[in-house]
Amino acid sequence: PPPPFGAGLPGPVGPGDPTRAARAGTTAALVALGAGLLGAAVLIAGFRSRSGDDGLDWSNYGVGLGATAVLLVIAVLGALAGRRTGGRAREEVVTWPGTVGIVATGLMIGIGIDRDDHWVGYLIGGVMTVLAVIGYLAARRAAFVVVAVLGLAIVYALLFDDLLADSIGSDHPQVTGAALVVVFVVAVTVVGWALPSRAVSGVVVGAVGLVGILGILGSFAVMRFLGGIFGGMGAMLGGGVDGGRDGFASTTSVSSGFDASDVWWVVALGGVLAVLWALAATASDHAGFSVLAIAMPALGVPLASIALAAEHPTWWAATTAVAGGVLLLGGALLARLRGRRQERSVGPTR
């Protein structure tokens, strides 16, 4: 028999019942464009505030402060709105003006003080982190986690410079930089895993780590290239510098200015991150971690081969091809075994 009239329709909403909207609608477009334009105003005003030699240009700086204040005030008003009735639209009003406003606040602090002292960096990074935490508690959106990561990165770099830089020394700056990148990426990924936004925070900080490691390997390659040019010029002039021409380069390269072992250390640290991202992809099923795990060896190993001036790159290509093929075959085998187990658990189907 047909259901009675009105069956399945929502009943009256009580004053305490949530009415969360699933979509933000036009609010998302208006908020995104508005936050972008106000962010542009902050950047223009900030760039012009110190462009002259007469100190701070208060006309431009005032515009930047005003635009920053509008962003933060709108975000606060959105946060004060009812959580039960605002829904997705309320989160948009809190998130994008809030995140842009926090970054603008850090920029305005730096321009206003205009000093190279470390306490200014601590102030900027600390303010950004605290405001981002408050914003996350208000909206539970991953964009605030990204801003918090940026603030923490500023504080982290300054802490290293103040506490460890002198004791470590500057004999192997690339290895030190790579180690710092890896420690920061691992720490943020592990700590952020307790949050619902674990995938976004992990992928964002992972992208920073990927760029950092590849940038360091790229610097080795550039130094090798320049060392080859100037080493060749020195040989032509009678210098006879040996830059290391064996398959994996010599232990110490005078012409390039770095040790081959430094490159291997950076490759190993990049491998640690690649394994971390592969495990994170397994645990989260997020494609961003898979992309990071693919990009690190796919781009890092060729840069390392260039930096080490490999005389026989065929061995590099063959080794990586064999390793990759074994891993792919293992993955395919596991997938087949898993499929068979699922078939046996479900039973035959018609």
Side-chain angles (χ1 to χ4, degrees):
F5 178 76
L9 296 178
V13 179
D17 295 333
T19 57
R20 174 182 172 85
R23 298 180 60 184
T26 309
T27 301
L30 295 177
V31 167
L33 291 175
L37 290 173
L38 284 167
V42 172
L43 288 177
I44 295 172
F47 178 76
R48 294 294 184 179
S49 295
R50 293 285 183 181
S51 59
D53 298 330
D54 299 330
L56 185 62
D57 184 349
W58 279 99
S59 61
N60 282 296
Y61 190 66
V63 173
L65 288 176
T68 302
V70 170
L71 287 165
L72 294 178
V73 169
I74 294 296
V76 170
L77 292 176
L80 294 177
R83 185 185 294 270
R84 292 178 178 272
T85 58
R88 186 75 176 183
R90 168 192 169 275
E91 292 180 0
E92 294 289 316
V93 173
V94 177
T95 301
W96 303 119
T99 52
V100 177
I102 292 170
V103 176
T105 300
L107 180 63
M108 289 293 102
I109 291 174
I111 293 173
I113 298 176
D114 193 29
R115 296 181 62 177
D116 295 332
D117 297 340
H118 278 192
W119 68 267
V120 179
Y122 285 121
L123 177 62
I124 294 173
V127 168
M128 290 177 61
T129 303
V130 171
L131 292 178
V133 170
I134 295 173
Y136 181 81
L137 294 176
R140 297 295 198 276
R141 295 287 292 275
F144 287 107
V145 178
V146 175
V147 177
V149 169
L150 177 60
L152 289 174
I154 297 173
V155 175
Y156 176 75
L158 293 174
L159 282 174
F160 168 78
D161 193 35
D162 286 339
L163 301 178
L164 299 176
D166 294 335
S167 61
I168 292 178
S170 57
D171 294 336
H172 305 278
Q174 292 94 342
V175 178
T176 302
L180 289 173
V181 169
V182 171
V183 170
F184 183 73
V185 171
V186 172
V188 172
T189 303
V190 172
V191 174
W193 205 259
L195 301 175
S197 57
R198 62 179 66 92
V200 174
S201 60
V203 170
V204 168
V205 75
V208 174
L210 176 67
V211 172
I213 296 296
L214 293 181
I216 293 172
L217 290 174
S219 70
F220 283 133
V222 171
M223 292 171 67
R224 171 68 67 179
F225 175 75
L226 295 178
I229 294 177
F230 291 109
M233 293 176 60
M236 292 175 60
L237 296 175
V241 177
D242 181 12
R245 300 300 301 168
D246 55 10
F248 293 100
S250 61
T251 303
T252 302
S253 176
V254 178
S255 60
S256 60
F258 62 86
D259 294 341
S261 60
D262 291 352
V263 180
W264 288 112
W265 275 110
V266 175
V267 169
L269 291 170
V272 171
L273 290 183
V275 172
L276 172 69
W277 294 328
L279 294 175
T282 302
S284 65
D285 287 331
H286 195 281
F289 289 116
S290 298
V291 172
L292 292 172
I294 293 170
M296 180 63 82
L299 300 177
V301 174
L303 286 174
S305 68
I306 295 173
L308 293 172
E311 194 173 79
H312 301 290
T314 303
W315 289 107
W316 286 73
T319 302
T320 53
V322 170
V326 170
L327 292 175
L328 280 179
L329 289 175
L333 178 61
L334 289 177
R336 185 175 181 84
L337 293 175
R338 184 174 182 179
R340 289 180 175 177
R341 286 197 300 267
Q342 290 178 344
E343 289 178 358
R344 287 196 296 267
S345 62
V346 173
T349 57
R350 295 185 179 182

